[in-house]
Protein backbone atom coordinates (compact mmCIF):
# COMPACT_ATOMS: atom_id res chain seq x y z
CA UNK A 1 0.00 0.00 0.00
CA UNK A 2 1.26 3.49 -0.86
CA UNK A 3 1.89 5.50 2.29
CA UNK A 4 0.67 9.02 1.60
CA UNK A 5 3.11 10.23 4.26
CA UNK A 6 5.93 9.91 1.72
CA UNK A 7 4.25 12.49 -0.51
CA UNK A 8 4.26 15.18 2.18
CA UNK A 9 6.86 17.93 1.87
CA UNK A 10 8.02 18.34 5.47
CA UNK A 11 9.45 21.78 4.69
CA UNK A 12 6.00 23.10 3.72
CA UNK A 13 3.84 21.94 6.60
CA UNK A 14 1.18 24.21 8.04
CA UNK A 15 2.13 25.29 11.57
CA UNK A 16 -1.47 25.16 12.71
CA UNK A 17 -4.24 22.78 11.58
CA UNK A 18 -7.83 23.18 12.78
CA UNK A 19 -10.40 20.39 12.52
CA UNK A 20 -14.21 20.28 12.60
CA UNK A 21 -14.84 16.67 13.63
CA UNK A 22 -18.26 15.92 12.15
CA UNK A 23 -20.36 12.88 11.33
CA UNK A 24 -20.25 10.89 14.57
CA UNK A 25 -24.05 10.65 14.77
CA UNK A 26 -24.44 9.49 11.16
CA UNK A 27 -21.63 6.96 11.57
CA UNK A 28 -23.44 5.47 14.59
CA UNK A 29 -26.78 5.44 12.74
CA UNK A 30 -25.15 3.49 9.88
CA UNK A 31 -24.25 0.79 12.42
CA UNK A 32 -27.74 0.91 13.93
CA UNK A 33 -26.33 2.32 17.16
CA UNK A 34 -27.03 5.33 19.41
CA UNK A 35 -25.27 8.61 18.58
CA UNK A 36 -22.95 8.33 21.57
CA UNK A 37 -21.40 5.21 20.00
CA UNK A 38 -20.16 7.51 17.22
CA UNK A 39 -18.64 9.94 19.70
CA UNK A 40 -16.91 7.04 21.52
CA UNK A 41 -15.39 5.83 18.26
CA UNK A 42 -14.38 9.38 17.39
CA UNK A 43 -11.83 9.19 20.19
CA UNK A 44 -9.65 6.80 18.12
CA UNK A 45 -9.66 9.37 15.30
CA UNK A 46 -8.62 12.10 17.74
CA UNK A 47 -5.71 9.94 18.94
CA UNK A 48 -4.57 9.03 15.41
CA UNK A 49 -4.79 12.62 14.18
CA UNK A 50 -2.94 13.99 17.20
CA UNK A 51 -0.16 11.39 16.90
CA UNK A 52 0.18 11.88 13.13
CA UNK A 53 0.31 15.67 13.50
CA UNK A 54 2.87 15.57 16.33
CA UNK A 55 5.10 13.06 14.50
CA UNK A 56 5.17 15.23 11.36
CA UNK A 57 6.09 18.36 13.31
CA UNK A 58 2.85 20.31 13.21
CA UNK A 59 2.98 22.77 16.09
CA UNK A 60 -0.71 23.43 16.76
CA UNK A 61 -3.76 21.20 16.33
CA UNK A 62 -7.13 22.70 17.28
CA UNK A 63 -10.15 20.40 17.47
CA UNK A 64 -13.81 21.49 17.64
CA UNK A 65 -15.01 19.14 20.37
CA UNK A 66 -18.15 20.92 21.61
CA UNK A 67 -19.79 24.08 20.30
CA UNK A 68 -21.84 26.63 22.23
CA UNK A 69 -24.79 25.41 20.13
CA UNK A 70 -24.17 21.77 21.15
CA UNK A 71 -25.64 22.61 24.58
CA UNK A 72 -29.03 22.53 22.79
CA UNK A 73 -28.70 18.80 22.01
CA UNK A 74 -30.79 16.30 24.04
CA UNK A 75 -29.64 16.35 27.68
CA UNK A 76 -28.53 12.69 27.64
CA UNK A 77 -26.23 13.30 24.63
CA UNK A 78 -24.71 16.40 26.29
CA UNK A 79 -24.18 14.39 29.47
CA UNK A 80 -22.61 11.49 27.51
CA UNK A 81 -20.28 13.83 25.58
CA UNK A 82 -19.12 15.53 28.78
CA UNK A 83 -18.45 12.26 30.58
CA UNK A 84 -16.66 10.94 27.46
CA UNK A 85 -14.49 14.02 27.55
CA UNK A 86 -13.56 13.48 31.20
CA UNK A 87 -12.75 9.76 30.74
CA UNK A 88 -10.88 10.38 27.48
CA UNK A 89 -8.69 13.10 28.94
CA UNK A 90 -8.00 10.82 31.89
CA UNK A 91 -7.26 7.74 29.74
CA UNK A 92 -5.16 9.59 27.15
CA UNK A 93 -2.65 11.15 29.54
CA UNK A 94 -0.12 8.49 28.44
CA UNK A 95 -0.67 9.35 24.77
CA UNK A 96 -0.13 13.05 25.52
CA UNK A 97 3.03 12.31 27.53
CA UNK A 98 4.46 9.77 25.08
CA UNK A 99 4.03 12.25 22.22
CA UNK A 100 5.10 15.31 24.25
CA UNK A 101 1.78 17.06 23.50
CA UNK A 102 0.58 20.00 25.57
CA UNK A 103 -3.17 20.11 26.14
CA UNK A 104 -4.98 23.43 25.93
CA UNK A 105 -8.63 24.47 25.81
CA UNK A 106 -10.52 27.45 24.41
CA UNK A 107 -14.16 28.39 24.92
CA UNK A 108 -16.56 29.38 27.64
CA UNK A 109 -14.96 26.91 30.04
CA UNK A 110 -16.87 28.26 33.04
CA UNK A 111 -20.04 26.78 31.55
CA UNK A 112 -18.59 23.27 31.99
CA UNK A 113 -19.52 21.24 35.04
CA UNK A 114 -17.00 21.65 37.88
CA UNK A 115 -15.92 17.99 37.54
CA UNK A 116 -15.30 18.34 33.79
CA UNK A 117 -13.43 21.60 34.27
CA UNK A 118 -11.30 20.15 37.09
CA UNK A 119 -10.28 17.10 34.98
CA UNK A 120 -9.48 19.35 32.04
CA UNK A 121 -7.50 21.80 34.17
CA UNK A 122 -5.53 19.01 35.77
CA UNK A 123 -4.54 17.57 32.36
CA UNK A 124 -3.60 21.06 31.12
CA UNK A 125 -1.39 21.54 34.20
CA UNK A 126 0.20 18.10 33.91
CA UNK A 127 1.14 18.64 30.26
CA UNK A 128 2.19 22.30 30.45
CA UNK A 129 5.89 21.47 29.97
CA UNK A 130 5.30 19.35 26.85
CA UNK A 131 6.79 21.08 23.85
CA UNK A 132 6.27 19.11 20.63
CA UNK A 133 2.74 20.22 19.81
CA UNK A 134 -0.13 22.13 21.42
CA UNK A 135 -3.45 20.33 21.09
CA UNK A 136 -6.30 22.72 21.78
CA UNK A 137 -9.83 21.49 22.42
CA UNK A 138 -12.51 24.03 21.52
CA UNK A 139 -15.10 23.36 24.21
CA UNK A 140 -18.31 25.27 24.68
CA UNK A 141 -16.74 27.37 21.95
CA UNK A 142 -18.19 29.51 19.22
CA UNK A 143 -16.42 32.17 17.25
CA UNK A 144 -19.13 34.78 17.82
CA UNK A 145 -18.89 34.15 21.58
CA UNK A 146 -15.11 34.59 21.35
CA UNK A 147 -15.27 37.78 19.25
CA UNK A 148 -17.97 39.29 21.48
CA UNK A 149 -15.84 38.53 24.52
CA UNK A 150 -12.78 40.10 22.86
CA UNK A 151 -14.77 43.23 21.94
CA UNK A 152 -15.98 43.62 25.53
CA UNK A 153 -12.42 43.31 26.77
CA UNK A 154 -11.08 45.87 24.27
CA UNK A 155 -13.96 48.29 25.01
CA UNK A 156 -13.19 48.06 28.73
CA UNK A 157 -9.52 48.87 28.05
CA UNK A 158 -10.49 51.84 25.86
CA UNK A 159 -12.75 53.09 28.65
CA UNK A 160 -9.91 52.76 31.18
CA UNK A 161 -7.52 54.57 28.86
CA UNK A 162 -5.27 51.49 28.34
CA UNK A 163 -5.87 51.43 24.56
CA UNK A 164 -6.48 54.38 22.22
CA UNK A 165 -9.27 53.75 19.68
CA UNK A 166 -7.03 54.69 16.74
CA UNK A 167 -4.45 52.10 17.83
CA UNK A 168 -6.88 49.17 17.51
CA UNK A 169 -5.66 47.01 14.62
CA UNK A 170 -5.73 43.36 13.48
CA UNK A 171 -3.12 42.40 16.06
CA UNK A 172 -5.09 44.01 18.92
CA UNK A 173 -8.09 41.88 18.02
CA UNK A 174 -6.02 38.67 17.59
CA UNK A 175 -4.41 39.33 20.97
CA UNK A 176 -7.81 39.37 22.68
CA UNK A 177 -9.12 36.14 21.17
CA UNK A 178 -8.93 32.81 22.99
CA UNK A 179 -6.20 31.77 20.52
CA UNK A 180 -3.94 34.71 21.44
CA UNK A 181 -0.31 33.77 20.92
CA UNK A 182 -1.01 31.03 18.37
CA UNK A 183 -0.40 31.47 14.65
CA UNK A 184 -3.61 31.45 12.57
CA UNK A 185 -4.53 28.02 11.17
CA UNK A 186 -3.31 27.64 7.58
CA UNK A 187 -5.47 24.56 7.05
CA UNK A 188 -9.01 23.78 8.21
CA UNK A 189 -10.32 20.24 7.77
CA UNK A 190 -14.02 19.36 8.01
CA UNK A 191 -15.24 15.78 7.82
CA UNK A 192 -18.58 14.24 6.85
CA UNK A 193 -19.33 16.06 3.60
CA UNK A 194 -20.77 19.19 5.22
CA UNK A 195 -19.55 22.41 3.64
CA UNK A 196 -19.90 24.88 6.50
CA UNK A 197 -17.69 26.65 9.02
CA UNK A 198 -20.24 26.44 11.87
CA UNK A 199 -19.05 29.40 13.92
CA UNK A 200 -15.48 28.07 14.19
CA UNK A 201 -12.40 30.33 14.33
CA UNK A 202 -14.02 32.86 11.96
CA UNK A 203 -11.39 35.57 12.47
CA UNK A 204 -8.44 33.16 12.50
CA UNK A 205 -9.25 31.31 9.24
CA UNK A 206 -9.25 34.48 7.11
CA UNK A 207 -6.53 32.99 4.84
CA UNK A 208 -6.79 29.28 5.71
CA UNK A 209 -7.09 26.64 3.01
CA UNK A 210 -10.26 24.60 3.48
CA UNK A 211 -10.23 20.82 3.05
CA UNK A 212 -13.60 19.06 3.04
CA UNK A 213 -13.84 15.28 3.04
CA UNK A 214 -16.88 13.01 2.98
CA UNK A 215 -15.19 10.64 5.47
CA UNK A 216 -17.16 10.55 8.72
CA UNK A 217 -15.07 11.50 11.77
CA UNK A 218 -14.98 8.00 13.39
CA UNK A 219 -13.49 6.66 10.11
CA UNK A 220 -10.84 9.42 9.91
CA UNK A 221 -7.35 7.94 10.14
CA UNK A 222 -3.73 8.99 9.60
CA UNK A 223 -4.00 8.51 5.83
CA UNK A 224 -6.99 10.90 5.70
CA UNK A 225 -4.93 13.47 7.60
CA UNK A 226 -2.00 13.02 5.20
CA UNK A 227 -4.42 13.42 2.28
CA UNK A 228 -5.56 16.78 3.69
CA UNK A 229 -1.93 17.93 4.04
CA UNK A 230 -1.11 16.89 0.46
CA UNK A 231 -4.19 18.77 -0.76
CA UNK A 232 -3.00 21.81 1.22
CA UNK A 233 0.48 21.59 -0.31
CA UNK A 234 -0.98 21.59 -3.82
CA UNK A 235 -2.81 24.86 -3.27
CA UNK A 236 -1.32 28.16 -4.31
CA UNK A 237 -1.63 30.49 -1.31
CA UNK A 238 -1.98 34.01 -2.69
CA UNK A 239 -3.15 36.19 0.24
CA UNK A 240 -4.94 38.50 -2.20
CA UNK A 241 -1.96 38.82 -4.57
CA UNK A 242 -1.83 37.65 -8.22
CA UNK A 243 -0.51 34.26 -9.26
CA UNK A 244 2.32 36.03 -11.16
CA UNK A 245 3.43 37.94 -8.04
CA UNK A 246 3.56 34.72 -6.04
CA UNK A 247 5.64 32.97 -8.76
CA UNK A 248 8.07 35.92 -8.91
CA UNK A 249 8.44 35.92 -5.11
CA UNK A 250 9.06 32.16 -5.08
CA UNK A 251 11.70 32.38 -7.81
CA UNK A 252 13.66 34.81 -5.60
CA UNK A 253 13.77 32.45 -2.61
C1 LIG B 1 -19.89 16.07 15.59
O1 LIG B 1 -20.61 14.95 15.13
C2 LIG B 1 -19.08 15.76 16.76
C3 LIG B 1 -19.23 16.28 17.99
C4 LIG B 1 -20.28 17.27 18.33
C5 LIG B 1 -18.39 15.88 19.13
C6 LIG B 1 -16.95 15.58 18.86
C7 LIG B 1 -16.46 14.73 19.93
C8 LIG B 1 -15.63 13.67 19.81
C9 LIG B 1 -14.98 13.29 18.57
C10 LIG B 1 -15.42 12.82 21.01
C11 LIG B 1 -14.20 12.95 21.78
C12 LIG B 1 -13.37 14.13 21.61
C13 LIG B 1 -12.37 14.47 22.43
C14 LIG B 1 -11.52 15.62 22.07
C15 LIG B 1 -12.07 13.75 23.67
P1 LIG B 1 -22.18 14.99 15.12
O2 LIG B 1 -22.67 14.44 16.41
O3 LIG B 1 -22.65 16.38 14.83
O4 LIG B 1 -22.52 14.03 13.93
P2 LIG B 1 -23.74 14.12 12.90
O5 LIG B 1 -23.58 15.40 12.14
O6 LIG B 1 -23.55 12.91 12.04
O7 LIG B 1 -24.99 14.07 13.70
Amino acid sequence: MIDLKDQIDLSKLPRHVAVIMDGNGRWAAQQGKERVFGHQNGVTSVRETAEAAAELGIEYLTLYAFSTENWNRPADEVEALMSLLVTTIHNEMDTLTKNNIRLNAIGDLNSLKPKTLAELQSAIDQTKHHSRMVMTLALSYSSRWEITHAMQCIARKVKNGEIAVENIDNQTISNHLATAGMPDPELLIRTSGEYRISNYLLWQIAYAELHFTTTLWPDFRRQNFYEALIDFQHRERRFGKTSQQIKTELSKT
Side-chain angles (χ1 to χ4, degrees), residues 20-28 35 38-46 63-67 70 73 77 81 84-86 88-89 92 135 137 139 190-192 194 196 216-218:
I20 302 177
M21 311 181 285
D22 196 12
N24 295 351
R26 278 163 283 163
W27 187 89
R35 296 176 54 80
H39 300 315
Q40 286 161 349
N41 280 275
V43 173
T44 308
S45 312
V46 170
L63 305 174
Y64 208 176
F66 194 86
S67 73
N70 286 155
R73 290 194 174 194
E77 184 175 345
L81 264 169
L84 180 65
L85 193 78
V86 172
T88 304
I89 291 172
E92 297 296 330
M135 181 169 88
L137 300 182
L139 277 174
R190 182 171 189 146
T191 59
S192 90
E194 302 290 347
R196 288 188 293 276
L216 302 176
W217 180 252

Coordinates of all heavy atoms in Angstrom, one line a residue, residues 20-28 35 38-46 63-67 70 73 77 81 84-86 88-89 92 135 137 139 190-192 194 196 216-218, ligand 1:
I20 N -12.8 20.4 12.2 CA -14.2 20.3 12.6 C -14.5 18.8 12.5 O -14.6 18.3 11.4 CB -15.2 21.1 11.7 CG1 -14.8 22.6 11.8 CG2 -16.6 20.9 12.2 CD1 -15.6 23.5 10.9
M21 N -14.6 18.1 13.6 CA -14.8 16.7 13.6 C -16.3 16.4 13.5 O -17.1 16.6 14.5 CB -14.3 16.1 15.0 CG -12.9 16.6 15.3 SD -12.4 15.9 16.9 CE -13.3 16.8 18.1
D22 N -16.8 16.0 12.3 CA -18.3 15.9 12.1 C -18.6 14.5 11.6 O -17.8 13.9 10.9 CB -18.7 17.0 11.2 CG -20.2 17.2 11.2 OD1 -20.9 16.7 12.1 OD2 -20.7 17.9 10.3
G23 N -19.8 14.1 11.9 CA -20.4 12.9 11.3 C -20.4 11.7 12.3 O -20.7 10.6 11.9
N24 N -20.2 12.0 13.6 CA -20.3 10.9 14.6 C -21.7 10.3 14.7 O -21.8 9.0 14.7 CB -19.9 11.4 16.0 CG -18.5 11.9 16.1 OD1 -17.7 11.7 15.1 ND2 -18.1 12.5 17.2
G25 N -22.7 11.1 14.6 CA -24.0 10.6 14.8 C -24.4 9.8 13.6 O -25.0 8.7 13.7
R26 N -24.1 10.3 12.4 CA -24.4 9.5 11.2 C -23.7 8.2 11.1 O -24.2 7.2 10.7 CB -24.1 10.3 9.9 CG -25.2 11.3 9.6 CD -24.8 12.4 8.6 NE -24.0 13.4 9.3 CZ -23.2 14.3 8.7 NH1 -23.1 14.2 7.4 NH2 -22.5 15.1 9.4
W27 N -22.4 8.2 11.5 CA -21.6 7.0 11.6 C -22.3 5.9 12.5 O -22.4 4.8 12.1 CB -20.2 7.3 12.1 CG -19.2 6.2 12.0 CD1 -18.4 5.9 10.9 CD2 -18.9 5.2 13.0 NE1 -17.6 4.8 11.3 CE2 -17.9 4.4 12.5 CE3 -19.4 5.0 14.3 CZ2 -17.4 3.3 13.3 CZ3 -18.9 4.0 15.1 CH2 -17.9 3.1 14.6
A28 N -22.8 6.4 13.6 CA -23.4 5.5 14.6 C -24.7 4.9 14.0 O -25.0 3.7 14.1 CB -23.7 6.2 15.9
R35 N -26.2 7.6 19.0 CA -25.3 8.6 18.6 C -24.0 8.6 19.4 O -22.9 8.8 18.9 CB -25.9 10.0 18.7 CG -27.1 10.2 17.8 CD -27.7 11.6 18.1 NE -26.7 12.6 17.9 CZ -26.3 13.1 16.8 NH1 -26.8 12.7 15.7 NH2 -25.4 14.1 16.8
G38 N -21.0 6.8 18.2 CA -20.2 7.5 17.2 C -19.1 8.4 17.9 O -18.0 8.4 17.5
H39 N -19.6 9.1 19.0 CA -18.6 9.9 19.7 C -17.5 9.1 20.3 O -16.4 9.4 20.3 CB -19.4 10.7 20.8 CG -20.5 11.6 20.3 ND1 -20.3 12.4 19.2 CD2 -21.7 11.8 20.7 CE1 -21.4 13.1 19.0 NE2 -22.3 12.8 19.9
Q40 N -17.9 7.9 20.9 CA -16.9 7.0 21.5 C -15.9 6.6 20.5 O -14.7 6.6 20.8 CB -17.6 5.8 22.1 CG -18.3 6.1 23.4 CD -19.4 5.0 23.7 OE1 -19.7 4.2 22.9 NE2 -19.9 5.1 24.9
N41 N -16.3 6.3 19.3 CA -15.4 5.8 18.3 C -14.6 7.0 17.7 O -13.5 6.8 17.1 CB -16.1 5.1 17.2 CG -16.4 3.6 17.6 OD1 -15.6 2.7 17.5 ND2 -17.5 3.4 18.2
G42 N -15.1 8.2 17.8 CA -14.4 9.4 17.4 C -13.1 9.6 18.2 O -12.2 10.3 17.7
V43 N -13.0 9.0 19.4 CA -11.8 9.2 20.2 C -10.6 8.6 19.5 O -9.5 9.1 19.5 CB -12.0 8.6 21.6 CG1 -10.7 8.6 22.4 CG2 -13.1 9.3 22.3
T44 N -10.8 7.4 18.8 CA -9.6 6.8 18.1 C -9.1 7.7 17.0 O -7.9 7.9 16.8 CB -10.1 5.5 17.5 OG1 -10.8 4.7 18.5 CG2 -9.0 4.7 16.8
S45 N -10.1 8.4 16.4 CA -9.7 9.4 15.3 C -8.9 10.6 15.9 O -7.9 11.0 15.3 CB -10.9 9.9 14.6 OG -11.7 8.8 14.2
V46 N -9.3 11.0 17.1 CA -8.6 12.1 17.7 C -7.2 11.7 18.0 O -6.2 12.4 17.7 CB -9.3 12.5 19.1 CG1 -8.5 13.5 19.9 CG2 -10.7 13.1 18.8
L63 N -9.0 21.3 17.8 CA -10.2 20.4 17.5 C -11.4 21.0 18.0 O -11.5 21.3 19.2 CB -9.9 19.0 18.1 CG -8.6 18.3 17.7 CD1 -8.5 17.0 18.5 CD2 -8.6 18.0 16.2
Y64 N -12.5 21.0 17.2 CA -13.8 21.5 17.6 C -14.5 20.3 18.3 O -15.1 19.5 17.7 CB -14.6 21.9 16.4 CG -15.6 23.0 16.6 CD1 -16.3 23.6 15.6 CD2 -15.9 23.6 17.9 CE1 -17.2 24.6 15.7 CE2 -16.8 24.6 18.1 CZ -17.5 25.1 17.0 OH -18.4 26.1 17.2
A65 N -14.5 20.3 19.6 CA -15.0 19.1 20.4 C -16.4 19.4 20.8 O -17.2 18.4 21.0 CB -14.1 18.8 21.6
F66 N -16.8 20.6 21.1 CA -18.2 20.9 21.6 C -18.4 22.4 21.4 O -17.7 23.3 21.9 CB -18.2 20.6 23.1 CG -19.6 20.5 23.6 CD1 -20.4 19.3 23.6 CD2 -20.2 21.6 24.2 CE1 -21.7 19.3 24.1 CE2 -21.5 21.6 24.7 CZ -22.2 20.4 24.6
S67 N -19.5 22.7 20.6 CA -19.8 24.1 20.3 C -20.8 24.6 21.3 O -21.5 23.9 22.0 CB -20.4 24.2 18.9 OG -21.7 23.7 18.9
N70 N -24.0 23.2 20.8 CA -24.2 21.8 21.1 C -24.9 21.6 22.5 O -25.4 20.6 22.8 CB -22.8 21.0 21.2 CG -22.3 20.7 19.8 OD1 -21.1 20.5 19.7 ND2 -23.1 20.6 18.8
R73 N -28.4 20.2 22.4 CA -28.7 18.8 22.0 C -29.5 18.1 23.2 O -29.5 18.7 24.3 CB -27.4 18.0 21.7 CG -26.8 18.5 20.5 CD -25.7 17.6 20.0 NE -25.2 18.0 18.7 CZ -24.5 17.3 17.8 NH1 -24.1 16.1 18.2 NH2 -24.1 17.8 16.7
E77 N -27.4 13.3 25.5 CA -26.2 13.3 24.6 C -25.2 14.3 25.2 O -24.0 14.0 25.2 CB -26.6 13.7 23.2 CG -25.4 13.6 22.3 CD -25.7 13.9 20.8 OE1 -26.9 13.8 20.4 OE2 -24.8 14.1 20.0
L81 N -21.5 13.2 26.2 CA -20.3 13.8 25.6 C -19.3 14.4 26.7 O -18.1 14.2 26.6 CB -20.7 15.0 24.7 CG -20.8 14.6 23.2 CD1 -21.5 15.8 22.5 CD2 -19.5 14.4 22.6
L84 N -17.7 11.5 28.4 CA -16.7 10.9 27.5 C -15.4 11.8 27.5 O -14.3 11.3 27.5 CB -17.2 10.9 26.0 CG -16.3 10.3 25.0 CD1 -16.0 8.8 25.2 CD2 -17.0 10.4 23.6
L85 N -15.6 13.1 27.5 CA -14.5 14.0 27.5 C -13.6 13.8 28.8 O -12.4 13.7 28.7 CB -15.1 15.4 27.5 CG -14.0 16.5 27.3 CD1 -13.8 16.6 25.8 CD2 -14.6 17.8 27.8
V86 N -14.3 13.7 29.9 CA -13.6 13.5 31.2 C -12.8 12.2 31.1 O -11.6 12.1 31.4 CB -14.5 13.5 32.4 CG1 -13.8 13.1 33.7 CG2 -15.1 14.9 32.6
T88 N -11.9 10.4 28.5 CA -10.9 10.4 27.5 C -9.6 11.1 27.9 O -8.5 10.6 27.8 CB -11.4 11.0 26.2 OG1 -12.6 10.3 25.8 CG2 -10.4 10.9 25.0
I89 N -9.8 12.3 28.5 CA -8.7 13.1 28.9 C -7.9 12.3 30.0 O -6.7 12.2 29.9 CB -9.2 14.4 29.5 CG1 -9.7 15.3 28.4 CG2 -8.0 15.1 30.3 CD1 -10.4 16.6 28.9
E92 N -6.1 9.3 28.2 CA -5.2 9.6 27.2 C -3.9 10.3 27.7 O -3.1 10.8 26.9 CB -5.8 10.4 26.0 CG -6.9 9.7 25.3 CD -6.5 8.4 24.5 OE1 -5.3 8.4 24.0 OE2 -7.3 7.5 24.4
M135 N -2.1 20.8 21.6 CA -3.5 20.3 21.1 C -4.5 21.1 21.9 O -4.6 20.9 23.1 CB -3.6 18.8 21.3 CG -5.0 18.4 20.7 SD -5.1 16.6 20.7 CE -5.7 16.3 22.3
L137 N -8.4 21.9 22.6 CA -9.8 21.5 22.4 C -10.7 22.7 22.5 O -10.6 23.5 23.5 CB -10.2 20.5 23.5 CG -9.4 19.2 23.7 CD1 -10.0 18.4 24.8 CD2 -9.4 18.5 22.3
L139 N -14.1 23.9 23.4 CA -15.1 23.4 24.2 C -16.1 24.4 24.6 O -15.6 25.4 25.2 CB -14.5 22.8 25.5 CG -13.9 21.4 25.4 CD1 -13.1 21.1 26.7 CD2 -15.0 20.4 25.1
R190 N -12.7 19.7 7.5 CA -14.0 19.4 8.0 C -14.4 18.0 7.4 O -14.4 17.8 6.2 CB -15.1 20.4 7.7 CG -16.4 20.0 8.3 CD -17.5 21.0 8.2 NE -18.7 20.6 9.0 CZ -19.5 21.3 9.6 NH1 -19.3 22.6 9.6 NH2 -20.5 20.8 10.3
T191 N -14.8 17.1 8.3 CA -15.2 15.8 7.8 C -16.7 15.7 7.6 O -17.5 16.7 7.9 CB -14.8 14.7 8.9 OG1 -15.5 15.0 10.1 CG2 -13.3 14.6 9.1
S192 N -17.2 14.6 7.0 CA -18.6 14.2 6.9 C -19.3 14.9 5.7 O -20.6 14.7 5.6 CB -19.4 14.5 8.2 OG -19.9 15.8 8.2
E194 N -20.0 17.9 5.0 CA -20.8 19.2 5.2 C -19.8 20.3 4.8 O -18.7 20.3 5.2 CB -21.2 19.3 6.7 CG -22.1 18.2 7.2 CD -23.5 18.2 6.6 OE1 -23.9 19.2 6.0 OE2 -24.2 17.2 6.8
R196 N -19.6 23.7 5.7 CA -19.9 24.9 6.5 C -18.7 25.1 7.5 O -17.9 24.2 7.7 CB -21.1 24.6 7.4 CG -22.5 24.6 6.7 CD -23.6 24.5 7.8 NE -23.5 23.3 8.5 CZ -24.1 22.2 8.1 NH1 -24.7 22.1 7.0 NH2 -24.1 21.1 8.9
L216 N -16.5 10.2 7.4 CA -17.2 10.5 8.7 C -16.1 10.5 9.8 O -15.1 9.7 9.7 CB -18.3 9.6 9.0 CG -19.4 9.5 8.0 CD1 -20.4 8.4 8.4 CD2 -20.1 10.8 7.8
W217 N -16.2 11.4 10.8 CA -15.1 11.5 11.8 C -14.6 10.2 12.4 O -13.4 9.9 12.4 CB -15.4 12.5 12.9 CG -14.3 12.6 13.8 CD1 -14.2 12.2 15.1 CD2 -13.0 13.2 13.5 NE1 -13.0 12.4 15.7 CE2 -12.2 13.0 14.7 CE3 -12.4 13.8 12.4 CZ2 -10.9 13.5 14.8 CZ3 -11.0 14.2 12.5 CH2 -10.3 14.0 13.6
P218 N -15.5 9.2 12.8 CA -15.0 8.0 13.4 C -14.2 7.1 12.4 O -13.4 6.2 12.9 CB -16.3 7.3 13.8 CG -17.3 8.4 14.0 CD -17.0 9.3 12.9
Ligands
LIG1 C1 -19.9 16.1 15.6 O1 -20.6 14.9 15.1 C2 -19.1 15.8 16.8 C3 -19.2 16.3 18.0 C4 -20.3 17.3 18.3 C5 -18.4 15.9 19.1 C6 -16.9 15.6 18.9 C7 -16.5 14.7 19.9 C8 -15.6 13.7 19.8 C9 -15.0 13.3 18.6 C10 -15.4 12.8 21.0 C11 -14.2 13.0 21.8 C12 -13.4 14.1 21.6 C13 -12.4 14.5 22.4 C14 -11.5 15.6 22.1 C15 -12.1 13.8 23.7 P1 -22.2 15.0 15.1 O2 -22.7 14.4 16.4 O3 -22.6 16.4 14.8 O4 -22.5 14.0 13.9 P2 -23.7 14.1 12.9 O5 -23.6 15.4 12.1 O6 -23.5 12.9 12.0 O7 -25.0 14.1 13.7

